[in-house]
Amino acid sequence: MSNVRSNINRARRMVDGRIYDNFALELQALENSIEKGVRFRDMPFRLQSDLRQALADYRAFIEETWSPSV
């Protein structure tokens, strides 16, 4: 569980903490990001996959639990 939270936090930092209306744009921002001088595309494939999945899981959680205040 802590690894999932770690990946979510890492992915969120890599997109500057933004939550995009369009998930495809959020993934694009992640894939164009640089962390500590290392481009996303130069990271190990498994890590890339984990970070993409973390964003997708976080998005699903937000959409499931978020309720707009009226």
Side-chain angles (χ1 to χ4, degrees):
M1 186 62 163
S2 64
N3 192 35
V4 172
R5 287 186 296 200
S6 232
N7 285 337
I8 290 170
N9 288 332
R10 187 174 185 178
R12 299 268 16 108
R13 280 193 309 271
M14 291 176 72
V15 295
D16 296 325
R18 295 185 61 190
I19 298 176
Y20 293 76
D21 288 333
N22 183 331
F23 185 63
L25 293 177
E26 197 166 340
L27 280 178
Q28 182 180 16
L30 177 68
E31 292 172 356
N32 290 325
S33 68
I34 297 173
E35 181 186 53
K36 299 178 185 173
V38 178
R39 295 180 297 188
F40 179 83
R41 65 177 165 238
D42 294 335
M43 293 178 176
F45 182 75
R46 176 67 187 188
L47 178 57
Q48 291 179 30
S49 177
D50 288 347
L51 294 173
R52 283 187 195 105
Q53 188 62 51
L55 278 184
D57 291 345
Y58 185 69
R59 169 70 63 146
F61 172 77
I62 292 298
E63 289 177 356
E64 184 177 306
T65 60
W66 184 78
S67 63
S69 56
V70 182

